[in-house]
Amino acid sequence: MSAVSVTVSSRGAPRALAKRAVSVRSAVADSSRGASSCAVAGVRASSKRAAEGSGEKQRSLAVPVCRGLSTRIGHGISGQGQFHSSGPVSSSQAKTGQRGQRAQASSRAQLKDSKVVVVELGSAVITREDECGLALGRLASIVEQVAELQSKGKQVVLVTSGAVAFGKQVLHQQNRLSQSVRQAINIGKQNDTPEPRACAAVGQCGLMSLYDAMFSQYGVPTAQVLLTKRDLTGNQSENFTSTMHELMSMNIVPILNGNDVVAAPAETGADLEGVLSVKDNDSLAAIVADHIKADLLILLSDVRGVYTGPPSQADSRFLDNCYLPSQSSSDNIGVTFGPSSSRVGRGGMESKVDSAVYALHRGVAVVIADGTANTGTVVSDIVSGKRVGTFFTQELSARDDVTDQSRRARTGSRKLQSLSPEARCDIINRLADLLEQRSADILAANQKDMTAATSLAPSLLARLELSTDKLSSLAKGLRQIATASHDYVGHVLSHRELSDGLVLRQETVPLGVLLVIFESRPDALPQVASLAISTANGLLLKGGSEAKHTNRFLHELVSQALASHGCEDAVQLVSTREDVNELLSMESDIDLVIPRGSKELVRRIQEDCRGIAVLGHSEGICHVYVDKNVDPDQAVDIVVDSKCNYPAACNAMETLLLHRDHLKTSVMSMLVQQLKEKGVTVFSGPHLRSLVTFAPPPAPSLSHEYSANECTIEVVDDVERAIEHIQHYGSSHTDSIVTNDADAAQLFLSRVDSACVFHNASTRLADGYRFGLVTDCSISSRWTSQRYMTSHSQLQLASQVIGN
């Protein structure tokens, strides 16, 4: 037995983040120049910078370990029994902060509770595309994420590749400098590929100097641990485990790698056209995670995660979750592995999956993800529970996989299509009955949400709150949908004979699977579900988290109503924002996305959606223009109703435009007085402030949607200026003119480019029920085939049927 020195760079107080600007490339150059003089023995020599710089302390821990790492340790996790679990946690180990009695994470949400995290940087992640040197920007991003986790009390262990690639870069440079001119000219005819172990010897010191320089910017000390095969087997593994816990207890980031310096030569044929194979660290990371009782193992590669087949194949499907019950092997996940596509690593995805299974069955949660993505937050996202990469679990989570949900929704849609109109009508009527019968339970669930919603704005609280009257009105509306739904599917729009015996028939058919995202309003859930049922569409619903208890209970009622005709899968409830992000990329499973909510929500969905049509719900910047020639009492009634009937609604007035002549009449004072009596806070536009000495406070913006008892008043010169104002600041939702001048009214109606344009009517009339559409789920202010209010008629397509 011999001793290996684990050199630890101990820094003082964390440095200011402003010092991150230190040149990483300079650190690489410094370490490269000194790398060739490092000891070739599995002992990390202190970098020159660490030995000489700024009085930084050096501390060495003499740890007894053994040498002799094989070039490939993956066999130990593929069933050949070379490696074994380190056994039960001893009392001494429990004191060092191991996983102990904490249960293995069975869902991504539980990953945020992980205390000990092992991050394995695959060869493709850490190596440049030219396979000679390191991807510095990518590495710096991962270091920053690890340092952030350390600052939050996590204990992170890095298992890194890169020594061979780093050393190869240095030796190539050295070789060029020592060549004669003739040799340099004939470089293409020579084989100057360095020997792998020499590359590892040169690269280890430089690689660790680089890590040390990067982590030092965040005040995080590091330690290098070089491992051989026997260090992780038998009694020797206790030495390794003890050292690791000692390092982690001091908030040091251990950086592990196999000791390629003393490894056996690479296997014959393992190199690809002279490119050096960087040794497989996947299995090493899994074994290390088991030994130190880690909570989470992150295996980073250059692909999104695990696919059912090679990702390049068109029929390969990405696996968000891999469910592997106890004692099952990687053969049970239904994955076909192709040849490894990595030219700098030797493990490939098959090795990563084998390693994941090994760690999973020893109590470690595992995620395989893409470490080369441009997001720069992959490690942080995984630990925070976001849907990144493939998550391995031994338990079926209470939350379904969204891919499965979308496919079940499509299957449910087809079942709905096979039902008679009377059966679909019966489902909706059953749902209406359940809303009334279970009203007490619904209100109890809603009260939980109201109690928790302490930070919501009053306008959002108004949308969130349910009442007995709201539920009764909702049930009434659903029954009207049921009554009107008999000819929604299969309705013949046109029927003509093209020639003798050849008939063209155009009829309505469902769109397919809809994804509807809505905020705050739980009563939208049964409304949208009824529209989908009546038109035989599959439906995925994502409500706001502030209404989670209410939405969950309402969805249970929808499923119960659907189950009466065997279609319970047709409507699915999506749980998290990460689920939505994944669904937005599933163009083969989702046919239409309808976001209903704030401008920010709609914009985010439109930006993130890839390959799926989005029916963007408009924000409700609605205007009422009071023209010169008006009935004052009528103007007051329309303005007050437009603003005060339901201020949180998207069709409530946000800006009142007044003809400038009303500054000299009683109309303006009447309007302001009535609004203030109703509790409305009035703000003024810039033109009004320039004309009035004591004007109300300035409006935050002329395009502001208050959704509350607030509004803007602005003055315009005439109807032409009112139209220009609406076209510039409005959202093309709903706008109204109050006037007795027929010509002005006609000009306004023909020129204002909005979904709903009214004359002498409240903006609150923009409602599907009042329009005879029974109900609606959104208003689009964008042109598709036409601008429209989304109702049953817009949740269908016209199918061309030719026959005789």
Side-chain angles (χ1 to χ4, degrees), residues 496-511:
R496 54 181 173 166
E497 188 175 32
L498 301 179
S499 62
D500 290 342
L502 187 62
V503 176
L504 172 65
R505 186 173 72 254
Q506 186 183 36
E507 60 184 43
T508 56
V509 296
L511 283 172

Side-chain angles (χ1 to χ4, degrees), residues 43-351:
V43 178
R44 177 186 170 248
S46 300
S47 69
K48 182 177 180 181
R49 178 176 179 274
E52 299 177 355
S54 333
E56 294 168 351
K57 299 178 181 179
Q58 292 289 322
R59 174 168 50 194
S60 294
L61 301 177
V63 184
V65 293
C66 293
R67 293 193 175 93
L69 179 69
S70 125
T71 59
R72 187 175 181 87
I73 63 175
H75 301 296
I77 61 171
S78 60
Q80 297 185 20
Q82 293 184 17
F83 295 104
H84 307 280
S85 172
S86 58
V89 180
S90 66
S91 58
S92 61
Q93 291 171 332
K95 294 178 182 179
T96 58
Q98 299 177 54
R99 186 174 63 249
Q101 300 301 316
R102 190 158 55 249
Q104 183 184 37
S106 60
S107 69
R108 291 180 186 267
Q110 296 172 351
L111 295 180
K112 64 179 181 295
D113 298 324
S114 301
K115 297 298 182 183
V116 181
V117 181
V118 177
V119 180
E120 187 265 336
L121 306 182
S123 308
V125 175
I126 201 172
T127 307
R128 292 191 326 221
E129 292 184 1
D130 63 4
E131 304 165 9
C132 185
L134 304 182
L136 296 178
R138 199 179 299 149
L139 188 59
S141 173
I142 292 173
V143 166
E144 182 176 11
Q145 296 172 68
V146 170
E148 182 182 1
L149 293 177
Q150 286 284 120
S151 69
K152 294 179 179 178
K154 310 287 187 185
Q155 294 176 328
V156 184
V157 175
L158 281 184
V159 179
T160 180
S161 302
V164 175
F166 199 113
K168 178 183 176 183
Q169 178 186 23
V170 174
L171 292 182
H172 271 311
Q173 293 171 351
Q174 294 288 91
N175 193 24
R176 296 290 186 274
L177 292 174
S178 64
Q179 285 177 339
S180 66
V181 174
R182 182 180 299 276
Q183 289 173 322
I185 293 174
N186 296 324
I187 185 172
K189 302 177 182 179
Q190 298 178 8
N191 180 13
D192 62 347
T193 300
E195 201 274 332
R197 289 173 294 179
C199 290
V202 172
Q204 286 287 2
C205 186
L207 179 63
M208 278 308 302
S209 294
L210 176 61
Y211 273 120
D212 184 50
M214 288 182 170
F215 274 108
S216 69
Q217 306 311 306
Y218 306 95
V220 177
T222 60
Q224 183 185 29
V225 182
L226 291 177
L227 296 172
T228 62
K229 177 178 178 179
R230 288 186 294 176
D231 299 335
L232 300 172
T233 57
N235 294 331
Q236 314 308 327
S237 64
E238 296 179 4
N239 299 326
F240 163 72
T241 304
S242 176
T243 299
M244 290 295 294
H245 289 304
E246 178 69 18
L247 293 172
M248 290 188 293
S249 70
M250 294 186 291
N251 201 34
I252 294 170
V253 175
I255 301 177
L256 281 63
N257 199 350
N259 192 352
D260 296 333
V261 175
V262 295
E267 298 173 8
T268 303
D271 293 349
L272 300 176
E273 298 180 4
V275 178
L276 297 177
S277 297
V278 180
K279 302 303 180 285
D280 175 15
N281 277 325
D282 302 324
S283 50
L284 174 61
I287 295 165
V288 166
D290 174 35
H291 275 68
I292 67 174
K293 300 303 174 190
D295 301 296
L296 172 62
L297 169 61
I298 300 174
L299 300 173
L300 296 181
S301 181
D302 59 348
V303 293
R304 181 182 176 189
V306 182
Y307 288 77
T308 55
S312 59
Q313 292 184 1
D315 59 345
S316 292
R317 182 170 60 88
F318 173 72
L319 298 177
D320 180 68
N321 293 328
C322 279
Y323 170 58
L324 286 166
S326 179
Q327 305 307 317
S328 57
S329 68
S330 58
D331 296 334
N332 299 115
I333 65 176
V335 173
T336 301
F337 296 104
S340 173
S341 60
S342 174
R343 292 178 52 82
V344 292
R346 64 182 302 176
M349 185 54 68
E350 185 172 6
S351 172

Side-chain angles (χ1 to χ4, degrees), residues 421-422 424-425 481-489 534:
E422 290 75 20
R424 290 193 294 269
C425 175
I481 294 176
T483 301
S485 67
H486 286 79
D487 63 346
Y488 287 173
V489 179
S534 67

Side-chain angles (χ1 to χ4, degrees), residues 608-673:
D608 293 347
C609 200
R610 297 177 288 277
I612 310 174
V614 179
L615 183 62
H617 178 281
S618 174
E619 56 182 331
I621 305 174
C622 303
H623 297 76
V624 174
Y625 167 59
V626 178
D627 194 32
K628 178 179 180 180
N629 183 9
V630 296
D631 178 341
D633 292 333
Q634 183 185 48
V636 169
D637 290 342
I638 291 174
V639 169
V640 170
D641 185 78
S642 295
K643 179 72 254 184
C644 304
N645 178 271
Y646 186 15
C650 60
N651 58 6
M653 181 194 76
E654 303 294 8
T655 300
L656 170 61
L657 298 176
L658 290 175
H659 192 286
R660 67 176 300 158
D661 285 1
H662 289 308
L663 294 175
K664 305 172 184 177
T665 70
S666 62
V667 172
M668 180 175 179
S669 61
M670 290 173 60
L671 287 169
V672 173
Q673 180 182 350

Side-chain angles (χ1 to χ4, degrees), residues 403-481:
T403 304
D404 184 54
Q405 282 186 288
S406 64
R407 292 176 180 174
R408 285 160 57 190
R410 190 171 298 279
T411 300
S413 168
R414 289 167 180 157
K415 289 183 179 179
L416 282 173
Q417 293 179 50
S418 68
L419 297 179
S420 65
E422 290 75 20
R424 290 193 294 269
C425 175
D426 180 63
I427 292 173
I428 300 172
N429 281 325
R430 283 176 182 265
L431 177 57
D433 293 341
L434 286 170
L435 290 177
E436 294 178 333
Q437 295 167 7
R438 304 293 298 277
S439 61
D441 296 325
I442 297 171
L443 295 178
N446 185 245
Q447 187 57 45
K448 291 181 181 179
D449 293 324
M450 293 294 295
T451 302
T454 55
S455 60
L456 280 186
S459 60
L460 295 180
L461 281 174
R463 296 182 183 185
L464 175 61
E465 186 175 17
L466 294 180
S467 64
T468 302
D469 289 342
K470 272 190 177 182
L471 291 177
S472 297
S473 177
L474 182 58
K476 180 180 178 181
L478 297 193
R479 292 190 179 98
Q480 291 174 336
I481 294 176

